Amino acid sequence: MSNGVSWGPDNPHPLSRMKTELVWEGKYDEYGNRRPVKLPTLPLPLQRIETIDEPRDREKAQQLSIFNEAAFHQQAHRDDFRNMLIWGDNKLVMAALLEQFRGKIDLIYIDPPFDVGADFTMQVQIGEEGEAVQKEQSILEAVAYRDTWGKGTDSYLHMMYERLTLMRELLSERGSIYVHCDWRMNAFLRQVLDDIFGRDRFLNHIIWAYKTGGIPENVGFSKKHDDILIYTKSDTPVFNQLLQKSYVPTLPEPTTISGKQLGVQRDEVCELCGVGRPGQKYRNVIMRDVWDDIQSIFRNDQQTTGFDTQKPEALLERIIKASSNEGDLVADFFCGSGTTLAVAEKLGRRWIGVDLGRYAIHTTRKRLIQVQRELHAADQPYRSI
């Protein structure tokens, strides 16, 4: 029904002037205003910090409050920084970190849940026989599932928007963020990141094509890759160019027909290439955005911790080497089994890890203590600076 308003070139309809934008329930209020990220006005007691670093005198690490700065620096390392593993809602944790770490984190990698219908219930392997028990949700996890994952894609996007906004505030001017996702949330998260960082801050879309895992589809092609979206805080991010080996396909033996040799001799192919595996030749080329040389975690892999979504250390090693330098601060706010933190520790980076899952924190803590013991045994410092 017409309301008496005449739309046209002299009076354009509001819809004709809208820009391309991803809109979800909760992004705008009832008056059309952008909803700000709501932060707590007071520190919450549920946030606890545990400093995993073992001091050089091998004293037992103590639990400290995130807001107790004097105690935080009590057991100083070479650079007066102690790595942090925090159990709690990462939105609240990041809000608490802003005062001290705004603009100071050099690299953020996150691997948030891909499936908006997922909860925190999981099978946990115990003992050497591979027996499994059901790990139920804690109260914190149950509340988070109900409020963010339990309401579908809209609530998931709003949850990610708020947290990515805080991550941008924590990034240094030369910092980068890597967001790991898959086909379910790729398109949505790309638009959310464009909204927060700007399209001109998009750096790369990495395809991690693992050759193992995945389930063949009855209809369609088997899904065998994940996506990693990279955005930067400025146009001058830290980036260390990496090289990869590009192998020359092995040619078949020359064939002789009627006394004539067909084909090309192997030693005549690609003379400028180096020698790869026996009988194979390769050249070092600048790394491309398709990574098909890193395998996913096998169940019997030495790295495995029992997490279904655990990522291989080789993947995080590549990311950390590319977008940070020794001594830089690396953060993972969905740290899961602690792969990012373990690799950062080995590569001499400082780190902050956060997770809502009780089992994740327990697994990460155990893993990091083992990494530090191995570094001690090898007489390697945590950080050489």
Side-chain angles (χ1 to χ4, degrees), residues 22 24 37 90-91 94 108-114 116 147-149 152-168 177-181 185 188-190 192-193 196-197 229 333-334:
L22 176 65
W24 58 87
V37 178
N90 53 17
K91 175 185 172 181
M94 286 189 284
I108 296 175
Y109 167 87
I110 58 170
D111 181 17
F114 299 165
V116 298
D147 291 344
T148 59
W149 285 273
T153 302
D154 285 286
S155 58
Y156 178 87
L157 291 176
H158 196 65
M159 179 275 294
M160 289 302 300
Y161 171 77
E162 291 188 321
R163 282 150 181 79
L164 289 167
T165 299
L166 291 170
M167 291 178 204
R168 185 186 183 281
I177 181 170
Y178 287 63
V179 180
H180 199 128
C181 55
M185 285 291 117
F188 292 114
L189 288 175
R190 175 75 180 266
V192 173
L193 287 160
I196 296 171
F197 287 86
L229 305 175
F333 297 107
F334 295 87

Side-chain angles (χ1 to χ4, degrees), residues 20-78:
T20 302
E21 179 183 5
L22 176 65
V23 179
W24 58 87
E25 183 181 356
K27 185 175 183 179
Y28 294 98
D29 63 19
E30 294 79 2
Y31 301 97
N33 299 314
R34 187 71 170 264
R35 293 183 188 272
V37 178
K38 293 183 179 180
L39 301 178
T41 57
L42 295 174
L44 298 180
L46 291 177
Q47 297 181 68
R48 298 287 294 180
I49 175 174
E50 182 166 4
T51 53
I52 296 299
D53 304 343
E54 292 186 346
R56 277 174 284 176
D57 59 5
R58 306 288 286 177
E59 292 179 3
K60 184 179 180 180
Q62 61 177 337
Q63 286 195 340
L64 306 172
S65 167
I66 191 172
F67 307 103
N68 187 343
E69 187 171 355
F72 176 79
H73 292 290
Q74 180 176 320
Q75 298 180 3
H77 268 272
R78 300 166 189 261

Side-chain angles (χ1 to χ4, degrees), residues 72-89:
F72 176 79
H73 292 290
Q74 180 176 320
Q75 298 180 3
H77 268 272
R78 300 166 189 261
D79 54 5
D80 289 336
F81 182 90
R82 295 188 61 77
N83 299 323
M84 294 181 286
L85 177 62
I86 306 170
W87 177 35
D89 186 322

Side-chain angles (χ1 to χ4, degrees), residues 111 114 180-183 205-210 224-228 311:
D111 181 17
F114 299 165
H180 199 128
C181 55
D182 72 354
W183 57 271
H205 177 178
I206 300 296
I207 300 295
W208 175 37
Y210 42 84
K224 293 280 189 177
H225 82 271
D226 285 355
D227 305 279
I228 303 175
K311 301 302 182 290

